[in-house]
Coordinates of all heavy atoms in Angstrom, one line a residue:
M30 N 2.3 -43.2 18.5 CA 3.2 -42.1 18.1 C 2.6 -41.4 16.8 O 2.8 -40.2 16.7 CB 4.6 -42.7 17.9 CG 5.5 -41.7 17.5 SD 6.8 -41.8 18.7 CE 7.9 -40.7 18.1
T31 N 2.0 -42.1 16.0 CA 1.5 -41.5 14.8 C 0.3 -40.6 15.1 O 0.2 -39.6 14.4 CB 1.0 -42.6 13.8 OG1 0.0 -43.4 14.4 CG2 2.1 -43.5 13.3
L32 N -0.5 -40.9 16.1 CA -1.5 -40.0 16.5 C -1.0 -38.7 17.0 O -1.5 -37.6 16.6 CB -2.4 -40.7 17.6 CG -3.6 -39.9 18.0 CD1 -4.6 -39.6 16.9 CD2 -4.3 -40.6 19.1
R33 N 0.1 -38.8 17.7 CA 0.7 -37.6 18.2 C 1.3 -36.7 17.1 O 1.1 -35.5 17.1 CB 1.9 -37.9 19.2 CG 2.5 -36.7 19.8 CD 3.6 -37.1 20.7 NE 3.0 -37.3 22.0 CZ 3.6 -37.8 23.1 NH1 4.9 -38.1 23.0 NH2 3.0 -37.9 24.2
T34 N 1.8 -37.4 16.1 CA 2.3 -36.7 14.9 C 1.2 -36.0 14.1 O 1.3 -34.9 13.7 CB 3.1 -37.6 14.0 OG1 4.1 -38.3 14.8 CG2 3.8 -36.9 12.9
I35 N 0.1 -36.7 14.0 CA -1.0 -36.1 13.3 C -1.6 -34.9 14.0 O -1.9 -33.9 13.4 CB -2.1 -37.2 13.1 CG1 -1.6 -38.3 12.1 CG2 -3.4 -36.6 12.5 CD1 -2.6 -39.5 12.0
V36 N -1.7 -35.0 15.3 CA -2.1 -33.8 16.1 C -1.2 -32.7 16.0 O -1.6 -31.5 15.8 CB -2.3 -34.3 17.6 CG1 -2.6 -33.1 18.5 CG2 -3.4 -35.3 17.7
I37 N 0.1 -32.9 16.1 CA 1.1 -31.8 16.0 C 1.0 -31.2 14.6 O 1.0 -30.0 14.4 CB 2.5 -32.4 16.3 CG1 2.6 -32.7 17.7 CG2 3.5 -31.3 15.9 CD1 3.9 -33.4 18.1
V38 N 0.9 -32.0 13.5 CA 0.7 -31.4 12.2 C -0.6 -30.6 12.1 O -0.6 -29.6 11.5 CB 0.8 -32.6 11.1 CG1 0.5 -32.1 9.8 CG2 2.2 -33.2 11.1
G39 N -1.6 -31.1 12.6 CA -2.9 -30.4 12.6 C -2.9 -29.1 13.3 O -3.4 -28.1 12.8
V40 N -2.3 -29.1 14.5 CA -2.1 -27.8 15.3 C -1.2 -26.9 14.5 O -1.5 -25.7 14.4 CB -1.6 -28.1 16.7 CG1 -1.2 -26.8 17.4 CG2 -2.6 -28.9 17.5
G41 N -0.2 -27.4 13.9 CA 0.7 -26.5 13.1 C 0.0 -25.9 11.9 O 0.2 -24.7 11.6
A42 N -0.9 -26.7 11.3 CA -1.6 -26.2 10.1 C -2.6 -25.1 10.6 O -2.8 -24.1 9.9 CB -2.3 -27.3 9.4
A43 N -3.2 -25.4 11.7 CA -4.2 -24.4 12.3 C -3.5 -23.1 12.6 O -4.0 -22.0 12.4 CB -4.9 -25.0 13.5
L44 N -2.3 -23.2 13.2 CA -1.6 -22.0 13.6 C -1.1 -21.2 12.4 O -1.0 -20.0 12.3 CB -0.4 -22.3 14.5 CG -0.8 -22.7 15.9 CD1 0.4 -23.2 16.7 CD2 -1.5 -21.6 16.7
A45 N -0.7 -22.0 11.3 CA -0.3 -21.4 10.1 C -1.4 -20.6 9.4 O -1.3 -19.5 8.9 CB 0.3 -22.4 9.2
A46 N -2.7 -21.1 9.5 CA -3.8 -20.5 9.0 C -4.1 -19.2 9.7 O -4.6 -18.2 9.1 CB -5.0 -21.4 9.0
C47 N -3.9 -19.2 11.0 CA -4.1 -18.0 11.8 C -3.1 -16.9 11.5 O -3.3 -15.7 11.8 CB -4.1 -18.3 13.3 SG -5.5 -19.3 13.9
G48 N -1.9 -17.3 11.0 CA -0.9 -16.3 10.7 C -1.0 -15.6 9.4 O -0.2 -14.8 9.1
S49 N -2.1 -15.9 8.7 CA -2.3 -15.2 7.4 C -2.7 -13.8 7.6 O -3.1 -13.4 8.7 CB -3.3 -16.0 6.5 OG -4.5 -15.9 7.2
T50 N -2.5 -13.0 6.6 CA -2.9 -11.5 6.8 C -4.4 -11.3 6.9 O -5.2 -12.0 6.2 CB -2.4 -10.7 5.6 OG1 -3.0 -11.2 4.4 CG2 -0.9 -10.8 5.5
P51 N -4.8 -10.5 7.8 CA -6.2 -10.2 8.0 C -6.8 -9.5 6.9 O -6.0 -8.7 6.2 CB -6.3 -9.4 9.3 CG -4.9 -8.8 9.4 CD -4.0 -9.7 8.8
P52 N -8.1 -9.6 6.6 CA -8.7 -8.8 5.6 C -8.6 -7.3 5.9 O -8.4 -6.9 7.0 CB -10.1 -9.3 5.5 CG -10.4 -9.8 6.9 CD -9.0 -10.3 7.4
E53 N -8.8 -6.5 4.9 CA -8.8 -5.0 5.1 C -10.0 -4.7 6.1 O -11.0 -5.3 6.1 CB -9.1 -4.3 3.8 CG -8.0 -4.4 2.8 CD -8.2 -3.6 1.5 OE1 -9.0 -2.6 1.6 OE2 -7.7 -4.0 0.5
P54 N -9.7 -3.6 6.9 CA -10.8 -3.2 7.8 C -12.0 -2.7 7.1 O -11.9 -2.2 6.0 CB -10.1 -2.1 8.7 CG -9.0 -1.6 7.8 CD -8.5 -2.8 7.0
P55 N -13.2 -2.9 7.6 CA -14.4 -2.4 6.9 C -14.4 -0.9 6.9 O -13.8 -0.2 7.7 CB -15.5 -3.0 7.8 CG -14.9 -3.1 9.2 CD -13.5 -3.5 8.9
P56 N -15.1 -0.4 5.9 CA -15.1 1.1 5.8 C -15.9 1.7 7.0 O -16.7 1.0 7.6 CB -15.9 1.3 4.5 CG -16.7 0.1 4.3 CD -15.9 -1.0 4.9
P57 N -15.6 2.9 7.3 CA -16.3 3.5 8.4 C -17.8 3.7 8.1 O -18.2 3.8 6.9 CB -15.7 4.9 8.6 CG -15.1 5.2 7.2 CD -14.7 3.9 6.7
P58 N -18.7 3.6 9.1 CA -20.1 3.7 8.9 C -20.4 5.1 8.3 O -19.8 6.1 8.7 CB -20.7 3.5 10.3 CG -19.7 3.8 11.2 CD -18.4 3.5 10.6
P59 N -21.5 5.2 7.5 CA -21.9 6.5 7.0 C -22.4 7.4 8.2 O -22.9 7.0 9.1 CB -23.0 6.2 6.0 CG -23.5 4.9 6.5 CD -22.4 4.2 7.1
S60 N -22.2 8.7 8.0 CA -22.7 9.6 9.0 C -24.2 9.8 8.8 O -24.7 9.9 7.7 CB -22.0 11.0 8.9 OG -22.3 11.6 7.6
I61 N -24.9 9.7 9.9 CA -26.3 9.8 10.0 C -26.7 10.9 10.8 O -26.3 11.0 12.0 CB -27.0 8.5 10.5 CG1 -26.6 7.3 9.6 CG2 -28.5 8.6 10.6 CD1 -27.0 6.0 10.1
N62 N -27.5 11.9 10.3 CA -28.0 13.0 11.1 C -29.3 12.7 11.6 O -30.2 12.3 10.8 CB -28.0 14.3 10.2 CG -26.6 14.7 9.7 OD1 -25.6 14.5 10.4 ND2 -26.6 15.2 8.5
V63 N -29.5 12.7 12.9 CA -30.7 12.4 13.5 C -31.4 13.7 14.0 O -30.7 14.5 14.7 CB -30.6 11.5 14.7 CG1 -31.9 11.2 15.4 CG2 -29.9 10.2 14.3
Y64 N -32.6 14.0 13.5 CA -33.3 15.2 13.9 C -34.5 14.8 14.7 O -35.2 13.8 14.4 CB -33.7 16.0 12.6 CG -32.6 16.5 11.8 CD1 -32.2 15.8 10.7 CD2 -31.9 17.6 12.2 CE1 -31.1 16.2 10.0 CE2 -30.8 18.1 11.4 CZ -30.4 17.4 10.3 OH -29.4 17.8 9.6
S65 N -34.9 15.6 15.7 CA -36.0 15.4 16.5 C -36.9 16.6 16.4 O -36.6 17.7 16.9 CB -35.7 15.1 17.9 OG -36.8 14.9 18.7
C66 N -38.1 16.4 15.8 CA -39.0 17.5 15.7 C -40.2 17.3 16.6 O -41.4 17.6 16.2 CB -39.5 17.7 14.2 SG -38.2 18.3 13.2
A67 N -40.0 16.6 17.7 CA -41.1 16.4 18.6 C -41.6 17.7 19.2 O -40.9 18.6 19.5 CB -40.6 15.5 19.8
T68 N -42.9 17.7 19.3 CA -43.6 18.9 19.9 C -43.4 18.9 21.4 O -43.5 17.9 22.0 CB -45.1 18.9 19.6 OG1 -45.2 18.8 18.2 CG2 -45.8 20.2 20.0
P69 N -43.0 20.1 22.0 CA -42.8 20.1 23.4 C -44.0 19.7 24.2 O -45.1 20.0 23.7 CB -42.4 21.5 23.7 CG -41.9 22.1 22.4 CD -42.6 21.3 21.4
A70 N -43.9 19.1 25.3 CA -45.0 18.6 26.1 C -46.0 19.7 26.5 O -47.2 19.5 26.5 CB -44.5 17.9 27.4
G71 N -45.5 20.9 26.8 CA -46.3 22.0 27.2 C -47.3 22.4 26.1 O -48.4 23.0 26.4
M72 N -47.0 22.1 24.8 CA -47.8 22.5 23.7 C -49.0 21.5 23.5 O -49.9 21.8 22.8 CB -47.0 22.6 22.4 CG -46.0 23.7 22.5 SD -45.0 23.8 20.9 CE -46.1 24.8 19.9
T73 N -48.9 20.4 24.1 CA -49.9 19.3 23.8 C -50.6 18.9 25.1 O -51.2 17.8 25.1 CB -49.2 18.1 23.2 OG1 -48.2 17.6 24.1 CG2 -48.6 18.4 21.9
E74 N -50.5 19.6 26.2 CA -51.2 19.3 27.4 C -52.7 19.3 27.2 O -53.2 20.2 26.5 CB -50.8 20.2 28.5 CG -49.4 20.0 29.0 CD -49.0 20.9 30.2 OE1 -49.8 21.9 30.5 OE2 -48.0 20.8 30.7
R75 N -53.4 18.3 27.7 CA -54.8 18.3 27.6 C -55.5 19.2 28.6 O -55.0 19.4 29.7 CB -55.3 16.8 27.9 CG -56.7 16.6 27.7 CD -57.1 15.2 27.9 NE -58.4 14.9 27.6 CZ -59.5 15.2 28.3 NH1 -59.4 15.8 29.4 NH2 -60.7 14.9 27.9
E76 N -56.5 19.9 28.1 CA -57.3 20.8 29.0 C -58.7 20.2 29.1 O -59.3 19.8 28.2 CB -57.3 22.2 28.3 CG -58.0 23.2 29.1 CD -58.1 24.6 28.4 OE1 -57.2 24.8 27.5 OE2 -59.0 25.4 28.8
D77 N -59.1 20.2 30.4 CA -60.5 19.6 30.6 C -61.5 20.5 30.0 O -61.4 21.7 30.0 CB -60.7 19.5 32.1 CG -59.9 18.4 32.7 OD1 -59.5 17.5 32.0 OD2 -59.6 18.5 34.0
S78 N -62.5 19.9 29.4 CA -63.6 20.6 28.8 C -64.5 21.2 29.9 O -64.5 20.7 31.0 CB -64.5 19.7 27.9 OG -65.0 18.6 28.7
P79 N -65.3 22.2 29.5 CA -66.2 22.9 30.5 C -67.2 21.9 31.0 O -67.6 20.9 30.3 CB -66.8 24.0 29.7 CG -66.1 24.2 28.5 CD -65.3 22.9 28.2
L80 N -67.6 22.1 32.2 CA -68.6 21.2 32.8 C -70.0 21.5 32.3 O -70.4 22.6 32.1 CB -68.7 21.4 34.4 CG -67.4 21.0 35.1 CD1 -67.5 21.3 36.6 CD2 -67.0 19.5 34.9
V81 N -70.7 20.4 31.9 CA -72.1 20.5 31.4 C -73.0 20.9 32.5 O -72.9 20.3 33.6 CB -72.5 19.2 30.7 CG1 -73.9 19.3 30.2 CG2 -71.5 18.9 29.6
P82 N -73.9 21.9 32.3 CA -74.9 22.1 33.4 C -75.8 20.9 33.7 O -76.2 20.2 32.8 CB -75.7 23.3 32.8 CG -75.2 23.7 31.5 CD -74.1 22.7 31.2
V83 N -76.0 20.7 35.0 CA -76.7 19.5 35.4 C -77.9 19.9 36.3 O -77.8 20.9 37.0 CB -75.8 18.5 36.2 CG1 -76.6 17.3 36.6 CG2 -74.6 18.1 35.3
G84 N -79.0 19.2 36.2 CA -80.1 19.5 37.1 C -81.0 20.6 36.6 O -81.2 20.7 35.4
D85 N -81.4 21.4 37.5 CA -82.3 22.6 37.2 C -81.4 23.8 36.8 O -81.0 24.5 37.6 CB -83.2 22.9 38.4 CG -84.3 23.8 38.1 OD1 -84.7 23.9 36.9 OD2 -84.8 24.5 39.0
Y86 N -81.2 23.9 35.4 CA -80.4 25.0 35.0 C -81.2 26.0 34.1 O -82.2 25.7 33.6 CB -79.2 24.5 34.2 CG -79.6 23.5 33.1 CD1 -80.0 24.0 31.8 CD2 -79.5 22.2 33.3 CE1 -80.3 23.1 30.8 CE2 -79.9 21.3 32.3 CZ -80.3 21.8 31.0 OH -80.6 20.9 30.0
T87 N -80.7 27.2 34.0 CA -81.4 28.3 33.3 C -80.8 28.5 31.9 O -79.7 27.9 31.6 CB -81.2 29.6 34.1 OG1 -79.8 30.0 34.2 CG2 -81.8 29.5 35.5
Q88 N -81.4 29.3 31.2 CA -80.9 29.6 29.9 C -79.5 30.4 30.0 O -78.7 30.2 29.1 CB -81.9 30.5 29.1 CG -83.1 29.8 28.6 CD -82.8 28.7 27.7 OE1 -82.0 28.8 26.8 NE2 -83.4 27.5 27.9
K89 N -79.4 31.1 31.1 CA -78.1 31.8 31.3 C -77.0 30.7 31.5 O -75.9 30.9 31.0 CB -78.2 32.7 32.5 CG -76.9 33.4 32.8 CD -77.1 34.3 34.0 CE -75.8 35.1 34.3 NZ -75.8 35.9 35.4
D90 N -77.3 29.7 32.3 CA -76.3 28.6 32.5 C -75.9 27.9 31.1 O -74.7 27.6 30.9 CB -76.9 27.5 33.4 CG -77.1 28.0 34.8 OD1 -76.4 29.0 35.2 OD2 -78.0 27.5 35.5
V91 N -76.9 27.7 30.3 CA -76.6 27.1 29.0 C -75.8 28.1 28.1 O -74.8 27.7 27.5 CB -78.0 26.8 28.2 CG1 -77.7 26.4 26.8 CG2 -78.7 25.7 29.0
A92 N -76.1 29.4 28.1 CA -75.3 30.3 27.4 C -73.9 30.4 27.9 O -72.9 30.5 27.1 CB -76.0 31.7 27.5
L93 N -73.7 30.4 29.2 CA -72.4 30.4 29.8 C -71.6 29.1 29.4 O -70.4 29.2 29.1 CB -72.4 30.6 31.3 CG -72.9 31.9 31.8 CD1 -73.1 31.9 33.3 CD2 -71.9 33.0 31.4
Y94 N -72.3 28.0 29.4 CA -71.6 26.7 29.0 C -71.2 26.8 27.5 O -70.1 26.4 27.2 CB -72.6 25.6 29.2 CG -72.1 24.3 28.6 CD1 -71.0 23.6 29.1 CD2 -72.7 23.8 27.5 CE1 -70.5 22.5 28.5 CE2 -72.2 22.6 26.9 CZ -71.1 22.0 27.4 OH -70.7 20.8 26.8
I95 N -72.1 27.2 26.7 CA -71.8 27.3 25.2 C -70.6 28.3 25.0 O -69.7 28.0 24.2 CB -73.0 27.7 24.4 CG1 -74.0 26.5 24.5 CG2 -72.6 28.0 23.0 CD1 -75.3 26.8 23.8
T96 N -70.6 29.4 25.7 CA -69.5 30.4 25.6 C -68.2 29.7 26.0 O -67.1 29.8 25.4 CB -69.8 31.6 26.4 OG1 -71.0 32.2 25.9 CG2 -68.7 32.7 26.2
A97 N -68.2 29.0 27.2 CA -67.0 28.4 27.7 C -66.6 27.3 26.8 O -65.3 27.1 26.5 CB -67.3 27.8 29.1
L98 N -67.5 26.5 26.2 CA -67.2 25.5 25.2 C -66.5 26.1 24.0 O -65.5 25.5 23.5 CB -68.4 24.7 24.9 CG -68.3 23.4 24.1 CD1 -67.5 22.4 24.9 CD2 -69.6 22.9 23.7
H99 N -67.0 27.2 23.5 CA -66.4 27.8 22.3 C -65.0 28.3 22.6 O -64.1 28.1 21.8 CB -67.3 29.0 21.9 CG -66.8 29.7 20.7 ND1 -65.5 30.2 20.6 CD2 -67.5 30.1 19.6 CE1 -65.4 30.8 19.4 NE2 -66.6 30.8 18.8
Q100 N -64.8 28.9 23.8 CA -63.5 29.4 24.2 C -62.5 28.2 24.3 O -61.3 28.2 23.9 CB -63.5 30.2 25.5 CG -64.2 31.5 25.3 CD -64.5 32.2 26.6 OE1 -64.3 31.6 27.7 NE2 -64.9 33.5 26.5
W101 N -63.0 27.1 24.9 CA -62.2 25.9 25.1 C -61.8 25.3 23.7 O -60.6 25.0 23.5 CB -63.0 24.9 25.9 CG -62.3 23.5 26.0 CD1 -61.3 23.2 26.8 CD2 -62.7 22.3 25.3 NE1 -61.0 21.8 26.7 CE2 -61.9 21.3 25.7 CE3 -63.7 22.0 24.3 CZ2 -61.9 20.0 25.3 CZ3 -63.8 20.7 23.9 CH2 -62.9 19.7 24.3
G102 N -62.7 25.3 22.8 CA -62.4 24.8 21.4 C -61.4 25.7 20.7 O -60.5 25.2 20.0
T103 N -61.6 27.0 20.9 CA -60.7 28.0 20.2 C -59.3 27.8 20.7 O -58.3 27.8 20.0 CB -61.2 29.4 20.5 OG1 -62.5 29.5 20.0 CG2 -60.3 30.4 19.8
R104 N -59.1 27.6 22.1 CA -57.8 27.4 22.6 C -57.2 26.1 22.1 O -56.0 26.0 21.8 CB -57.9 27.3 24.1 CG -58.0 28.7 24.8 CD -57.8 28.6 26.3 NE -58.7 27.7 27.0 CZ -59.9 27.9 27.4 NH1 -60.5 29.2 27.2 NH2 -60.7 27.0 28.0
G105 N -58.0 25.1 21.9 CA -57.5 23.8 21.3 C -57.0 24.0 19.9 O -55.9 23.5 19.6
W106 N -57.8 24.7 19.1 CA -57.3 24.9 17.7 C -56.1 25.8 17.7 O -55.2 25.6 16.8 CB -58.4 25.6 16.9 CG -59.4 24.5 16.5 CD1 -60.7 24.5 16.9 CD2 -59.2 23.4 15.6 NE1 -61.3 23.4 16.3 CE2 -60.5 22.7 15.5 CE3 -58.2 22.9 14.9 CZ2 -60.6 21.6 14.8 CZ3 -58.3 21.8 14.1 CH2 -59.5 21.1 14.1
L107 N -55.9 26.7 18.6 CA -54.7 27.5 18.7 C -53.5 26.7 19.0 O -52.4 26.8 18.5 CB -54.9 28.7 19.7 CG -55.8 29.8 19.2 CD1 -56.0 30.8 20.4 CD2 -55.2 30.5 18.0
K108 N -53.7 25.7 19.9 CA -52.6 24.8 20.3 C -52.2 23.9 19.1 O -51.0 23.7 18.8 CB -53.1 23.8 21.4 CG -53.1 24.4 22.8 CD -53.5 23.4 23.8 CE -53.5 23.9 25.2 NZ -53.8 22.9 26.2
V109 N -53.2 23.5 18.3 CA -52.9 22.7 17.1 C -52.1 23.6 16.1 O -51.1 23.1 15.5 CB -54.2 22.2 16.4 CG1 -53.9 21.6 15.1 CG2 -54.8 21.2 17.3
A110 N -52.5 24.8 15.9 CA -51.8 25.7 15.0 C -50.4 26.0 15.5 O -49.5 26.0 14.7 CB -52.6 27.1 14.9
R111 N -50.2 26.2 16.8 CA -48.8 26.4 17.3 C -48.0 25.1 17.1 O -46.8 25.2 16.8 CB -48.9 26.8 18.8 CG -49.3 28.3 19.0 CD -49.0 28.7 20.4 NE -49.7 27.9 21.4 CZ -50.8 28.3 21.9 NH1 -51.4 29.5 21.6 NH2 -51.4 27.5 22.8
A112 N -48.6 24.0 17.4 CA -47.8 22.7 17.2 C -47.4 22.6 15.7 O -46.3 22.2 15.4 CB -48.6 21.5 17.6
R113 N -48.3 22.9 14.8 CA -48.0 22.8 13.4 C -47.0 23.8 13.0 O -46.0 23.5 12.2 CB -49.3 23.1 12.5 CG -49.1 22.9 11.0 CD -50.4 23.1 10.2 NE -51.3 22.0 10.6 CZ -52.6 22.3 10.9 NH1 -53.0 23.5 11.0 NH2 -53.4 21.3 11.2
E114 N -47.0 25.0 13.5 CA -46.0 26.0 13.2 C -44.6 25.6 13.7 O -43.6 25.7 13.1 CB -46.4 27.3 13.9 CG -45.6 28.5 13.6 CD -46.1 29.8 14.3 OE1 -47.3 30.1 14.2 OE2 -45.3 30.4 15.0
H115 N -44.6 25.0 14.9 CA -43.4 24.4 15.5 C -42.8 23.4 14.6 O -41.6 23.4 14.3 CB -43.6 23.9 16.9 CG -42.4 23.2 17.5 ND1 -42.1 21.9 17.3 CD2 -41.4 23.7 18.3 CE1 -41.0 21.6 18.0 NE2 -40.6 22.7 18.5
A116 N -43.6 22.4 14.1 CA -43.2 21.4 13.2 C -42.6 21.9 11.9 O -41.6 21.5 11.4 CB -44.3 20.4 13.0
D117 N -43.4 22.9 11.3 CA -42.9 23.5 10.1 C -41.6 24.2 10.2 O -40.7 24.1 9.3 CB -44.0 24.5 9.6 CG -45.3 23.8 9.1 OD1 -45.2 22.6 8.9 OD2 -46.3 24.5 9.0
K118 N -41.4 24.9 11.3 CA -40.1 25.6 11.6 C -39.0 24.5 11.7 O -37.8 24.7 11.2 CB -40.1 26.4 12.8 CG -40.9 27.7 12.6 CD -40.9 28.5 13.9 CE -41.7 29.8 13.8 NZ -41.7 30.6 15.0
C119 N -39.2 23.4 12.4 CA -38.3 22.4 12.6 C -37.9 21.8 11.2 O -36.7 21.6 10.9 CB -38.8 21.3 13.5 SG -37.6 20.0 13.9
V120 N -38.9 21.5 10.4 CA -38.6 20.9 9.1 C -37.8 21.9 8.2 O -36.9 21.5 7.5 CB -39.9 20.4 8.4 CG1 -39.7 20.1 7.0 CG2 -40.5 19.3 9.2
A121 N -38.2 23.1 8.3 CA -37.5 24.1 7.5 C -36.0 24.2 8.0 O -35.1 24.4 7.1 CB -38.1 25.5 7.7
G122 N -35.8 24.1 9.3 CA -34.4 24.1 9.8 C -33.6 22.9 9.3 O -32.4 23.0 9.0
I123 N -34.3 21.7 9.2 CA -33.6 20.5 8.7 C -33.2 20.7 7.3 O -32.1 20.3 6.8 CB -34.5 19.3 8.9 CG1 -34.6 19.0 10.4 CG2 -33.9 18.1 8.2 CD1 -35.7 17.9 10.7
E124 N -34.1 21.2 6.5 CA -33.9 21.4 5.1 C -32.7 22.4 4.8 O -31.9 22.2 3.9 CB -35.1 21.9 4.3 CG -36.2 20.8 4.3 CD -37.5 21.3 3.7 OE1 -37.7 22.5 3.5 OE2 -38.4 20.4 3.5
E125 N -32.6 23.4 5.7 CA -31.5 24.3 5.5 C -30.2 23.7 5.9 O -29.2 23.9 5.3 CB -31.7 25.6 6.4 CG -32.8 26.5 6.0 CD -33.0 27.6 6.9 OE1 -32.3 27.8 7.9 OE2 -34.0 28.4 6.7
D126 N -30.2 22.8 6.9 CA -29.0 22.1 7.3 C -28.5 21.1 6.2 O -27.3 20.9 6.1 CB -29.2 21.3 8.6 CG -29.3 22.2 9.8 OD1 -29.0 23.4 9.7 OD2 -29.8 21.7 10.8
E127 N -29.4 20.5 5.5 CA -29.0 19.6 4.4 C -28.5 20.2 3.2 O -27.8 19.6 2.4 CB -30.2 18.7 4.1 CG -30.6 17.8 5.2 CD -31.9 16.9 4.8 OE1 -32.5 17.2 3.8 OE2 -32.2 16.0 5.6
D128 N -28.8 21.5 3.0 CA -28.3 22.2 1.8 C -26.9 22.6 1.9 O -26.1 22.5 2.6 CB -29.1 23.5 1.5 CG -30.6 23.2 1.1 OD1 -30.8 22.0 0.6 OD2 -31.4 24.0 1.2

């Protein structure tokens, strides 16, 4: 009978502890602004380089290859410039939103 009394007193104490007032609720999380300045996929697509002349080729073939290579490189640098411009505009838009 004493064991039963001890168990009842222990359960009563545990229930009394659960009846205490809960702590204050935690403060709300801070607002976080998420910005994505990822460059669109179309701006970064890879373009195959011109084919190198193979076999018995002429000076004209070499000149055409060098011209095509130059144009290919120019288009690549233009893509880089457009991607940089896109990123700069995105960052400028973020800075305006924060002000």
Side-chain angles (χ1 to χ4, degrees):
M30 182 124 175
T31 59
L32 181 61
R33 181 178 276 172
T34 306
I35 294 173
V36 170
I37 290 174
V38 170
V40 169
L44 289 176
C47 291
S49 63
T50 59
E53 293 183 26
S60 62
I61 299 174
N62 298 327
V63 178
Y64 297 98
S65 177
C66 288
T68 306
M72 295 178 84
T73 58
E74 288 179 353
R75 187 177 186 283
E76 182 181 339
D77 291 335
S78 60
L80 297 175
V81 179
V83 180
D85 193 22
Y86 51 85
T87 64
Q88 288 297 317
K89 181 179 179 182
D90 295 331
V91 172
L93 290 173
Y94 168 71
I95 291 173
T96 302
L98 189 63
H99 182 309
Q100 291 171 348
W101 174 76
T103 301
R104 286 190 303 273
W106 283 112
L107 287 174
K108 284 183 180 182
V109 169
R111 283 193 301 262
R113 183 176 297 129
E114 187 177 307
H115 176 270
D117 290 344
K118 285 181 183 177
C119 185
V120 169
I123 291 171
E124 290 172 353
E125 288 176 7
D126 288 345
E127 290 177 353
D128 291 339

